[in-house]
Amino acid sequence: MSWVEHAIWWHVYPLGLCGAPIREPDTAPGPRLRRLLGWLDYAIELGCSGLLLGPIFESQSHGYDSLDLFSIDTRLGDETDFTELVSQCRDRGLRILLDGVFSHVGEGHPGVKQALAEGPGSPAGRLFDIDWQHPGGPRPRVFEGHSSLVRLNHSGQEAVDLVVRVMNHWLDRGIDGWRLDAAYSVPAGFWSKVVERVRPHHPDAWLLGEVLHGDYCAFVAESGIDSVTQYELWKAIWSSINDRNLFELDHALNRHNQFLDFFTPNTFIGNHDVTRIASRVGADGAVTALAILMTVAGTPSIYYGDEQAFTGIKEERVGGDDAIRPALPDSPTGLAPWGQPVLRAHQDLIGLRRRHPWLVDARTTALHLENQRIVYRSSATNGSTHLDVEIDLTHSPNALIRDATGRELWRQRS
């Protein structure tokens, strides 16, 4: 999968970007997925090489409560609209990653009702994780306390078969891989059984697991997937800027080096589940964070709107994700002009990343370290070249990047 070495994802949440209703009835259904077509050239001009799409399958509300993993959500359109998206991405050389929610389904999934009606010995009964001995009668077990999310039975063959069929179905239709939602909540052995059946048909598919914490290397090794989300580095980047404590960043980069001996993590400073980076550290801090992201190893993803310095705070309540999953205009011409400086910084830094493709697996070492200032060196694994990056938080967050000759490649402008 050599193409992954050059991948930079534009991560979008389609239901939000396309303006679909999340918790209200859809009074004006239409092919909203086609709104993404007006943003493909924008993604390329940003410097990205693929779309990492949030959920697009039929679901109850936010997309992570699926009802049919073989059908496009009617709020977004149908398979014709999806086929057109794949075709236009292919014409532009953009890869596509889909969000596979294989930990759980929505409580309204027709198979759940069928399972409860047919009992534990039925195929449906074996597919879902149901407490058949509950004193109040059979009761589905739910995902992390969310009553609307029913767990699959990951110890049974039926769940393996379902996930294999879903993954192959959409890979056959032209996608390039999967983000495995809540992969951490599913036994690594389950993923291993799935992967060994999907790989022979799609050897170039990239499989990314959402893993928040724990032993990243062991999870990759035991599951057979390619990568996991590097939440340790995400937290260290914004927290070290926010707290003026670059020792935290240095610690995370040392850990990052260790992970790279086993796999290449997905690196990011924003996604659909977290407070916007600009809300964490301000617009200047967000650009500094991006400079770090683009000069250390990994397969980076940019969350839509971060390149425009969008703000938004994640809240633990119903609708608490709305602020970080907004609609976009029909095309980039509808964007406000105040995002242009941060957009240009993204284009410059992503361009720098592309001109130094060896950064995908570079190792990083601190040359100078203080609470508010670090100079680190990211070196090619063959020792042929390096970049030196200075992060200075003494006043406003600031970054400076030099090449191996000491020539200045990029300087942050406030």
Side-chain angles (χ1 to χ4, degrees):
M1 290 178 290
S2 59
W3 65 268
V4 179
E5 296 177 3
H6 306 281
I8 299 177
W9 301 101
W10 194 46
H11 181 185
V12 304
Y13 176 73
L15 289 167
L17 183 152
C18 298
I22 302 300
R23 291 172 300 279
E24 305 79 24
D26 189 359
T27 58
R32 294 186 179 93
L33 191 62
R34 290 179 180 261
R35 181 179 287 191
L36 262 174
L37 302 179
W39 289 90
L40 300 184
D41 291 336
Y42 173 89
I44 291 172
E45 290 165 7
L46 181 60
C48 294
S49 61
L51 300 183
L52 195 173
L53 298 179
I56 62 170
F57 304 129
E58 191 67 52
S59 66
Q60 295 175 197
S61 60
H62 45 62
Y64 292 95
D65 46 4
S66 56
L67 299 175
D68 184 351
L69 293 167
F70 293 96
S71 298
I72 302 300
D73 197 306
T74 53
R75 292 170 293 173
L76 294 173
D78 57 26
E79 193 159 341
T80 302
D81 305 308
F82 173 76
T83 300
E84 181 64 18
L85 175 62
V86 172
S87 175
Q88 293 212 22
C89 283
R90 284 287 167 271
D91 290 345
R92 293 166 170 80
L94 286 170
R95 302 279 180 168
I96 297 178
L97 207 66
L98 290 188
D99 207 338
V101 187
F102 304 132
S103 160
H104 50 268
V105 300
E107 63 177 341
H109 191 289
V112 175
K113 182 181 294 186
Q114 182 181 359
L116 292 172
E118 296 179 358
S122 67
R126 293 191 296 267
L127 177 60
F128 299 99
D129 188 1
I130 296 174
D131 181 359
W132 298 102
Q133 307 304 320
H134 192 276
R139 181 168 299 182
R141 295 186 175 94
V142 300
F143 173 72
E144 296 184 349
H146 299 283
S147 60
S148 62
L149 303 177
V150 175
R151 294 280 294 174
L152 293 180
N153 173 21
H154 297 101
S155 63
Q157 187 62 37
E158 285 75 12
V160 173
D161 292 344
L162 171 65
V163 174
V164 168
R165 285 194 298 118
V166 172
M167 290 177 67
N168 281 332
H169 176 87
W170 296 104
L171 285 164
D172 288 343
R173 279 155 180 75
I175 70 166
D176 299 282
W178 288 93
R179 172 192 178 271
L180 305 175
D181 181 68
Y184 62 87
S185 73
V186 176
F190 174 86
W191 296 121
S192 178
K193 292 175 183 177
V194 170
V195 171
E196 69 183 12
R197 290 174 54 187
V198 172
R199 284 274 185 236
H201 302 284
H202 300 283
D204 292 331
W206 190 57
L207 305 179
L208 166 66
E210 181 193 17
V211 179
L212 308 183
H213 40 64
D215 190 335
Y216 291 166
C217 297
F219 192 91
V220 170
E222 294 168 14
S223 66
I225 65 174
D226 299 296
S227 183
V228 298
T229 49
Q230 226 295 35
Y231 267 90
E232 285 189 21
L233 184 62
W234 160 77
K235 194 271 180 181
I237 291 175
W238 67 258
S239 181
S240 62
I241 295 172
N242 198 49
D243 296 344
R244 300 298 198 265
N245 176 18
L246 289 166
F247 283 87
E248 180 181 0
L249 177 63
D250 179 60
H251 175 76
L253 289 174
N254 288 329
R255 292 266 297 167
H256 194 59
N257 285 338
Q258 296 170 24
F259 300 150
L260 292 163
D261 291 336
F262 297 92
F263 71 101
T264 304
N266 165 229
T267 53
F268 58 96
I269 53 175
N271 65 30
H272 65 296
D273 277 332
V274 302
T275 291
R276 291 272 184 183
I277 187 67
S279 291
R280 293 272 192 194
V281 296
D284 286 345
V287 172
T288 305
L290 180 72
I292 298 169
L293 180 70
M294 287 298 151
T295 55
V296 300
T299 304
S301 54
I302 305 295
Y303 186 55
Y304 83 108
D306 280 356
E307 77 280 355
Q308 294 282 339
F310 279 18
T311 57
I313 296 176
K314 159 87 170 184
E315 299 180 29
E316 297 300 329
R317 59 173 178 81
V318 175
D321 296 313
D322 292 356
I324 59 174
R325 302 175 179 181
L328 290 185
D330 288 335
S331 74
T333 58
L335 290 168
W338 53 257
Q340 284 297 308
V342 174
L343 174 63
R344 285 194 294 271
H346 274 73
Q347 291 170 325
D348 290 346
L349 286 165
I350 294 173
L352 183 149
R353 175 71 170 223
R354 291 206 164 282
R355 291 190 297 276
H356 300 84
W358 51 265
L359 282 166
V360 69
D361 58 1
R363 300 307 193 269
T364 305
T365 306
L367 305 179
H368 178 89
L369 180 60
E370 305 171 25
N371 280 343
Q372 299 190 61
R373 183 172 175 268
I374 187 174
V375 179
Y376 63 80
R377 175 167 291 176
S378 287
S379 303
T381 53
N382 63 8
S384 62
T385 190
H386 65 261
L387 295 180
D388 288 340
V389 182
E390 177 181 345
I391 306 297
D392 191 339
L393 309 177
T394 307
H395 301 293
S396 178
N398 207 276
L400 172 65
I401 304 171
R402 299 183 186 276
D403 67 12
T405 70
R407 180 171 61 96
E408 183 178 303
L409 297 180
W410 183 83
R411 179 187 292 270
Q412 185 170 347
R413 310 291 181 185
S414 297

mmCIF file of all heavy atoms in Angstrom, residues 172-192:
data_model
loop_
_atom_site.group_PDB
_atom_site.id
_atom_site.type_symbol
_atom_site.label_atom_id
_atom_site.label_comp_id
_atom_site.label_asym_id
_atom_site.label_seq_id
_atom_site.Cartn_x
_atom_site.Cartn_y
_atom_site.Cartn_z
ATOM 1 N N ASP A 172 -15.553 -3.074 -3.041
ATOM 2 C CA ASP A 172 -15.836 -3.443 -4.430
ATOM 3 C C ASP A 172 -16.376 -2.257 -5.228
ATOM 4 O O ASP A 172 -16.228 -2.220 -6.455
ATOM 5 C CB ASP A 172 -16.860 -4.584 -4.487
ATOM 6 C CG ASP A 172 -16.296 -5.919 -4.034
ATOM 7 O OD1 ASP A 172 -15.052 -6.059 -3.977
ATOM 8 O OD2 ASP A 172 -17.104 -6.822 -3.712
ATOM 9 N N ARG A 173 -16.984 -1.315 -4.541
ATOM 10 C CA ARG A 173 -17.571 -0.158 -5.215
ATOM 11 C C ARG A 173 -16.616 1.018 -5.305
ATOM 12 O O ARG A 173 -17.013 2.118 -5.670
ATOM 13 C CB ARG A 173 -18.876 0.240 -4.509
ATOM 14 C CG ARG A 173 -20.027 -0.654 -4.954
ATOM 15 C CD ARG A 173 -21.140 -0.747 -3.923
ATOM 16 N NE ARG A 173 -22.213 -1.612 -4.425
ATOM 17 C CZ ARG A 173 -22.132 -2.943 -4.484
ATOM 18 N NH1 ARG A 173 -21.040 -3.559 -4.098
ATOM 19 N NH2 ARG A 173 -23.144 -3.656 -4.950
ATOM 20 N N GLY A 174 -15.367 0.792 -4.951
ATOM 21 C CA GLY A 174 -14.355 1.791 -5.288
ATOM 22 C C GLY A 174 -13.715 2.554 -4.153
ATOM 23 O O GLY A 174 -12.899 3.442 -4.403
ATOM 24 N N ILE A 175 -14.067 2.251 -2.885
ATOM 25 C CA ILE A 175 -13.408 2.968 -1.801
ATOM 26 C C ILE A 175 -12.023 2.356 -1.555
ATOM 27 O O ILE A 175 -11.703 1.279 -2.068
ATOM 28 C CB ILE A 175 -14.238 2.976 -0.504
ATOM 29 C CG1 ILE A 175 -14.274 1.579 0.127
ATOM 30 C CG2 ILE A 175 -15.636 3.502 -0.773
ATOM 31 C CD1 ILE A 175 -14.783 1.571 1.556
ATOM 32 N N ASP A 176 -11.209 3.038 -0.761
ATOM 33 C CA ASP A 176 -9.818 2.641 -0.571
ATOM 34 C C ASP A 176 -9.514 2.108 0.817
ATOM 35 O O ASP A 176 -8.386 1.681 1.079
ATOM 36 C CB ASP A 176 -8.905 3.834 -0.862
ATOM 37 C CG ASP A 176 -9.062 4.313 -2.292
ATOM 38 O OD1 ASP A 176 -8.504 3.672 -3.187
ATOM 39 O OD2 ASP A 176 -9.774 5.320 -2.520
ATOM 40 N N GLY A 177 -10.485 2.142 1.708
ATOM 41 C CA GLY A 177 -10.229 1.635 3.045
ATOM 42 C C GLY A 177 -11.311 2.031 4.018
ATOM 43 O O GLY A 177 -12.343 2.611 3.638
ATOM 44 N N TRP A 178 -11.054 1.725 5.285
ATOM 45 C CA TRP A 178 -12.056 1.937 6.327
ATOM 46 C C TRP A 178 -11.445 2.571 7.572
ATOM 47 O O TRP A 178 -10.344 2.191 7.996
ATOM 48 C CB TRP A 178 -12.674 0.602 6.757
ATOM 49 C CG TRP A 178 -13.587 -0.013 5.739
ATOM 50 C CD1 TRP A 178 -13.251 -0.912 4.784
ATOM 51 C CD2 TRP A 178 -14.992 0.241 5.610
ATOM 52 N NE1 TRP A 178 -14.368 -1.251 4.052
ATOM 53 C CE2 TRP A 178 -15.445 -0.559 4.539
ATOM 54 C CE3 TRP A 178 -15.896 1.051 6.288
ATOM 55 C CZ2 TRP A 178 -16.769 -0.566 4.129
ATOM 56 C CZ3 TRP A 178 -17.217 1.034 5.887
ATOM 57 C CH2 TRP A 178 -17.651 0.241 4.815
ATOM 58 N N ARG A 179 -12.173 3.478 8.160
ATOM 59 C CA ARG A 179 -11.930 3.890 9.535
ATOM 60 C C ARG A 179 -12.858 3.037 10.385
ATOM 61 O O ARG A 179 -14.079 3.038 10.180
ATOM 62 C CB ARG A 179 -12.259 5.369 9.747
ATOM 63 C CG ARG A 179 -12.203 5.797 11.213
ATOM 64 C CD ARG A 179 -12.816 7.178 11.416
ATOM 65 N NE ARG A 179 -12.800 7.558 12.828
ATOM 66 C CZ ARG A 179 -13.761 7.297 13.704
ATOM 67 N NH1 ARG A 179 -14.839 6.616 13.318
ATOM 68 N NH2 ARG A 179 -13.672 7.684 14.951
ATOM 69 N N LEU A 180 -12.310 2.309 11.333
ATOM 70 C CA LEU A 180 -13.099 1.401 12.168
ATOM 71 C C LEU A 180 -13.477 2.123 13.454
ATOM 72 O O LEU A 180 -12.661 2.278 14.370
ATOM 73 C CB LEU A 180 -12.294 0.133 12.453
ATOM 74 C CG LEU A 180 -11.777 -0.585 11.195
ATOM 75 C CD1 LEU A 180 -10.889 -1.748 11.571
ATOM 76 C CD2 LEU A 180 -12.939 -1.025 10.311
ATOM 77 N N ASP A 181 -14.708 2.582 13.511
ATOM 78 C CA ASP A 181 -15.178 3.369 14.645
ATOM 79 C C ASP A 181 -15.152 2.547 15.928
ATOM 80 O O ASP A 181 -15.527 1.368 15.934
ATOM 81 C CB ASP A 181 -16.608 3.857 14.375
ATOM 82 C CG ASP A 181 -17.157 4.704 15.499
ATOM 83 O OD1 ASP A 181 -16.661 5.824 15.697
ATOM 84 O OD2 ASP A 181 -18.066 4.216 16.202
ATOM 85 N N ALA A 182 -14.722 3.200 17.016
ATOM 86 C CA ALA A 182 -14.685 2.551 18.332
ATOM 87 C C ALA A 182 -14.007 1.187 18.271
ATOM 88 O O ALA A 182 -14.423 0.239 18.948
ATOM 89 C CB ALA A 182 -16.095 2.428 18.922
ATOM 90 N N ALA A 183 -12.953 1.090 17.481
ATOM 91 C CA ALA A 183 -12.242 -0.185 17.349
ATOM 92 C C ALA A 183 -11.743 -0.688 18.698
ATOM 93 O O ALA A 183 -11.656 -1.894 18.930
ATOM 94 C CB ALA A 183 -11.075 -0.033 16.378
ATOM 95 N N TYR A 184 -11.438 0.249 19.587
ATOM 96 C CA TYR A 184 -10.932 -0.099 20.920
ATOM 97 C C TYR A 184 -11.935 -0.915 21.728
ATOM 98 O O TYR A 184 -11.562 -1.635 22.663
ATOM 99 C CB TYR A 184 -10.576 1.171 21.696
ATOM 100 C CG TYR A 184 -11.755 2.081 21.935
ATOM 101 C CD1 TYR A 184 -12.587 1.904 23.042
ATOM 102 C CD2 TYR A 184 -12.066 3.097 21.038
ATOM 103 C CE1 TYR A 184 -13.697 2.723 23.250
ATOM 104 C CE2 TYR A 184 -13.162 3.925 21.235
ATOM 105 C CZ TYR A 184 -13.972 3.738 22.341
ATOM 106 O OH TYR A 184 -15.074 4.548 22.525
ATOM 107 N N SER A 185 -13.214 -0.799 21.412
ATOM 108 C CA SER A 185 -14.263 -1.466 22.195
ATOM 109 C C SER A 185 -14.558 -2.873 21.702
ATOM 110 O O SER A 185 -15.438 -3.549 22.251
ATOM 111 C CB SER A 185 -15.549 -0.628 22.158
ATOM 112 O OG SER A 185 -16.173 -0.710 20.880
ATOM 113 N N VAL A 186 -13.844 -3.288 20.676
ATOM 114 C CA VAL A 186 -14.055 -4.597 20.065
ATOM 115 C C VAL A 186 -12.780 -5.415 20.247
ATOM 116 O O VAL A 186 -11.678 -4.897 20.049
ATOM 117 C CB VAL A 186 -14.384 -4.445 18.565
ATOM 118 C CG1 VAL A 186 -14.506 -5.808 17.892
ATOM 119 C CG2 VAL A 186 -15.658 -3.628 18.385
ATOM 120 N N PRO A 187 -12.876 -6.681 20.631
ATOM 121 C CA PRO A 187 -11.665 -7.494 20.811
ATOM 122 C C PRO A 187 -10.793 -7.501 19.563
ATOM 123 O O PRO A 187 -11.304 -7.612 18.435
ATOM 124 C CB PRO A 187 -12.209 -8.886 21.119
ATOM 125 C CG PRO A 187 -13.585 -8.651 21.669
ATOM 126 C CD PRO A 187 -14.111 -7.446 20.937
ATOM 127 N N ALA A 188 -9.481 -7.378 19.757
ATOM 128 C CA ALA A 188 -8.555 -7.381 18.624
ATOM 129 C C ALA A 188 -8.692 -8.654 17.807
ATOM 130 O O ALA A 188 -8.528 -8.639 16.572
ATOM 131 C CB ALA A 188 -7.126 -7.211 19.112
ATOM 132 N N GLY A 189 -9.006 -9.767 18.468
ATOM 133 C CA GLY A 189 -9.169 -11.026 17.757
ATOM 134 C C GLY A 189 -10.313 -11.003 16.756
ATOM 135 O O GLY A 189 -10.270 -11.699 15.735
ATOM 136 N N PHE A 190 -11.354 -10.219 17.049
ATOM 137 C CA PHE A 190 -12.463 -10.070 16.101
ATOM 138 C C PHE A 190 -11.961 -9.432 14.816
ATOM 139 O O PHE A 190 -12.247 -9.902 13.711
ATOM 140 C CB PHE A 190 -13.582 -9.236 16.721
ATOM 141 C CG PHE A 190 -14.702 -8.904 15.765
ATOM 142 C CD1 PHE A 190 -15.747 -9.780 15.584
ATOM 143 C CD2 PHE A 190 -14.695 -7.716 15.031
ATOM 144 C CE1 PHE A 190 -16.786 -9.491 14.696
ATOM 145 C CE2 PHE A 190 -15.710 -7.415 14.142
ATOM 146 C CZ PHE A 190 -16.762 -8.307 13.973
ATOM 147 N N TRP A 191 -11.213 -8.325 14.975
ATOM 148 C CA TRP A 191 -10.707 -7.633 13.790
ATOM 149 C C TRP A 191 -9.785 -8.559 12.993
ATOM 150 O O TRP A 191 -9.791 -8.544 11.759
ATOM 151 C CB TRP A 191 -9.966 -6.366 14.192
ATOM 152 C CG TRP A 191 -10.815 -5.337 14.864
ATOM 153 C CD1 TRP A 191 -10.644 -4.800 16.106
ATOM 154 C CD2 TRP A 191 -11.985 -4.704 14.329
ATOM 155 N NE1 TRP A 191 -11.628 -3.879 16.391
ATOM 156 C CE2 TRP A 191 -12.461 -3.804 15.315
ATOM 157 C CE3 TRP A 191 -12.671 -4.807 13.114
ATOM 158 C CZ2 TRP A 191 -13.595 -3.008 15.117
ATOM 159 C CZ3 TRP A 191 -13.808 -4.021 12.920
ATOM 160 C CH2 TRP A 191 -14.256 -3.138 13.912
ATOM 161 N N SER A 192 -9.001 -9.354 13.692
ATOM 162 C CA SER A 192 -8.091 -10.272 13.008
ATOM 163 C C SER A 192 -8.852 -11.237 12.108
ATOM 164 O O SER A 192 -8.449 -11.502 10.963
ATOM 165 C CB SER A 192 -7.260 -11.046 14.040
ATOM 166 O OG SER A 192 -6.414 -11.970 13.414
#
